[in-house]
Amino acid sequence: MYAPQSRSGAGSSAEQPRVYQVWRGSNEFLLQGRFIFGPDVRSLFLTVFLILAPVLVFCIFVARHLTNDFPDHWGISVMVVVVVFTIYDLTLLLLTSGRDPGIVPRNTHPPEPESIDANNDVGNGQTPQQLRLPRTKDVFVNGVVVKVKYCDTCMLYRPPRCSHCSICNNCVERFDHHCPWVGQCIGLRNYRFFYMFVFSTTLLCLYVFGFCWVYIIKIRDAENLSIWKAMLKTPPSMVLIIYCFICVWFVGGLSVFHFYLMSTNQTTYENFRYRYDRRANPYNKGVVNNFLEIFCTAVPASKNKFRARVPAEQGLQQARAPARGFMSPNMGKPVGDLELGRKPISWDEPRSAADIRDLEVGLGGMLDEKEGRIAHASPDLSREARPVELMEGRAGMHSRRSSWGHRSGTSESMDSIAVQMGALDGTWGSISSGHGTTSGTH
């Protein structure tokens, strides 16, 4: 990933990258960050083809023949309507797939716990690095307690109705689902356009389906044929009828399902996960108010400015390794995203062994520091006069240091080090007291 560098001078701000150039999600950007798509944006071309291909066949083989079959030149309106409606449908598709669905910006470091008592830290012997963030927090929504979860990837507590999309790798407000047909997440800022796109596609299918039958009936009446022979006279109409019949079951069924979700103020994710029919839905405001919330409210402004320059301070924070003192709620235990259904992953054993080795090196440094203090306090004490226990303790410490990574029982090793530390403290105390007595005698 591109790591921005801070440079001094008047042109430092111009050399900073833009936000979309250092974006940590899996999104694809177009026109220098003006459009944002999901990583599966290629499926958008298939969706466009499935809409344009039948419309072109309809205009060439059906609508063109119907221009003269209606009085007062009303036949030309059949082609005009289908062209205008197709442009409208593709515009809604672009508004759905090419805009920010409601991505919550990531934190550069984990949030600090809200309630930290210094006295408790001292009493429990815990440093800020040993504090853990709670896995969930309780918030009130219309008088109902709702649990919000901590996102390890974005390092934030997700707002209510927010979820992390594993495909786009972003937390999205009012997350509904990730639609592979539009190549984008469906969330707070594009759900309205998604439903309008699905519903308009349903109407377009019904329009083409209906006028194909009109054309077949006109052939039957003009040539006095049966309906089956009239259908054989126009094979493109038969293909379009079958194609639209199949598609209307998908887009029409999706329109009906989301109509139900909007009337009850649910998302697809909430409907499959929480099942509000078994408990109260804190977001339900009534059928009329639910529809007004979807269609008659202003679309919230995006929380991300993809074309803005990355501040120099933020670039330095992103380039550095995170060194804040509070650990993730999942640190040191199997981690699994409950909402995404990911398989828990065990803690990395080599990493834990490396951390224990670092702790051991620190203990060795403490021993060296204490020995230096003893040598400074009693310069006449020769190396041969040192207690045998001290030398044995150092030898045991070095032997354990060499074989620490190969031992499996880390708790036993820590206990033995603690015993040796206690023995060494007692030995140092006797040396200091003995040296004081000797100097007093002189």
Side-chain angles (χ1 to χ4, degrees):
M1 182 180 296
Y2 180 83
Q5 299 178 355
S6 176
R7 298 181 181 178
S8 59
S12 61
S13 61
E15 296 178 355
Q16 291 296 328
R18 298 187 185 272
V19 172
Y20 76 90
Q21 294 175 328
V22 295
W23 188 252
R24 294 186 179 181
S26 303
N27 302 92
E28 300 289 341
F29 293 88
L30 186 65
L31 297 179
Q32 298 181 349
R34 290 180 174 86
F35 293 95
I36 175 173
F37 299 93
D40 49 351
V41 64
R42 292 183 180 86
S43 62
L44 187 62
F45 295 99
L46 176 60
T47 305
V48 173
F49 174 78
L50 293 177
I51 294 174
L52 283 180
V55 170
L56 290 176
V57 173
F58 176 79
C59 291
I60 295 173
F61 296 100
V62 179
R64 185 171 61 88
H65 297 287
L66 291 175
T67 55
N68 299 324
D69 291 344
F70 291 91
D72 299 331
H73 303 287
W74 280 102
I76 193 65
S77 62
V78 176
M79 184 175 293
V80 172
V81 170
V82 73
V83 170
V84 172
F85 210 76
T86 302
I87 295 174
Y88 171 73
D89 193 43
L90 294 178
T91 303
L92 291 174
L93 175 60
L94 181 62
L95 291 174
T96 303
S97 60
R99 67 186 295 135
D100 177 10
I103 299 174
V104 181
R106 299 188 182 191
N107 286 336
T108 56
H109 54 78
E112 296 183 0
E114 295 180 355
S115 58
I116 302 177
D117 190 356
N119 296 329
N120 292 339
D121 294 343
V122 176
N124 297 332
Q126 291 183 347
T127 61
Q129 286 77 11
Q130 293 173 326
L131 294 174
R132 297 179 185 273
L133 293 168
R135 177 60 176 164
T136 60
K137 292 174 60 177
D138 293 335
V139 297
F140 286 91
V141 178
N142 297 327
V144 179
V145 178
V146 177
K147 290 185 178 296
V148 294
K149 296 183 178 180
Y150 180 82
C151 180
D152 298 305
T153 303
C154 301
M155 291 187 292
L156 52 84
Y157 283 99
R158 303 168 186 166
R161 314 191 84 176
C162 175
S163 183
H164 191 91
C165 176
S166 60
I167 300 176
C168 293
N169 197 21
N170 297 313
C171 279
V172 180
E173 290 186 288
R174 202 186 184 277
F175 177 77
D176 190 90
H177 68 288
H178 183 94
C179 182
W181 296 102
V182 303
Q184 182 62 282
C185 290
I186 308 302
L188 177 66
R189 300 188 69 250
N190 64 349
Y191 180 79
R192 174 190 308 177
F193 304 105
F194 168 75
Y195 182 79
M196 294 171 66
F197 163 70
V198 173
F199 185 70
S200 62
T201 306
T202 305
L203 295 180
L204 185 61
C205 289
L206 294 176
Y207 184 88
V208 173
F209 181 84
F211 273 99
C212 285
W213 278 111
V214 170
Y215 182 53
I216 292 175
I217 292 174
K218 284 187 173 294
I219 293 177
R220 183 198 64 179
D221 296 340
E223 300 182 11
N224 294 323
L225 300 175
S226 63
I227 191 67
W228 297 108
K229 292 182 179 181
M231 293 173 64
L232 295 176
K233 284 280 186 178
T234 171
S237 297
M238 294 179 58
V239 174
L240 288 175
I241 287 173
I242 297 173
Y243 177 81
C244 292
F245 179 79
I246 295 174
C247 290
V248 79
W249 281 102
F250 291 97
V251 293
L254 195 60
S255 300
V256 173
F257 175 68
H258 280 278
F259 185 86
Y260 159 73
L261 293 179
M262 288 187 298
S263 64
T264 56
N265 206 334
Q266 299 183 62
T267 64
T268 303
Y269 180 81
E270 292 170 349
N271 181 262
F272 282 93
R273 179 171 177 81
Y274 298 115
R275 302 300 299 176
Y276 283 135
D277 54 352
R278 299 178 183 177
R279 60 176 181 172
N281 181 4
Y283 309 103
N284 192 356
K285 302 177 182 178
V287 176
V288 176
N289 292 328
N290 290 338
F291 279 104
L292 291 177
E293 180 182 347
I294 297 295
F295 294 105
C296 300
T297 57
V299 178
S302 176
K303 295 182 178 180
N304 304 277
K305 296 181 179 180
F306 300 109
R307 290 179 47 78
R309 297 286 181 180
V310 178
E313 297 78 6
Q314 182 179 354
L316 290 176
Q317 290 179 0
Q318 292 179 355
R320 296 171 183 169
R324 296 302 294 263
F326 300 102
M327 296 188 295
S328 166
N330 293 327
M331 186 68 71
K333 64 180 181 179
V335 178
D337 196 328
L338 300 178
E339 295 187 359
L340 298 181
R342 292 180 178 175
K343 184 178 180 180
I345 304 175
S346 59
W347 197 22
D348 193 2
E349 294 181 358
R351 183 182 301 175
S352 61
D355 294 339
I356 295 175
R357 285 195 295 271
D358 294 339
L359 176 61
E360 185 183 1
V361 171
L363 293 175
M366 293 173 59
L367 290 174
D368 295 337
E369 183 180 357
K370 288 191 175 183
E371 289 180 4
R373 292 178 181 177
I374 295 172
H376 179 73
S378 54
D380 57 342
L381 183 61
S382 62
R383 185 177 182 86
E384 289 79 4
R386 290 185 183 181
V388 180
E389 293 83 355
L390 178 60
M391 301 301 295
E392 291 178 354
R394 289 288 292 166
M397 192 68 187
H398 285 291
S399 63
R400 288 185 181 275
R401 185 180 303 172
S402 62
S403 61
W404 188 287
H406 304 285
R407 294 284 302 271
S408 60
T410 56
S411 60
E412 297 179 359
S413 302
M414 293 296 294
D415 294 339
S416 60
I417 290 176
V419 173
Q420 291 181 9
M421 288 292 293
L424 291 175
D425 290 339
T427 305
W428 292 328
S430 62
I431 293 174
S432 301
S433 59
H435 178 66
T437 305
T438 306
S439 60
T441 306
H442 287 294

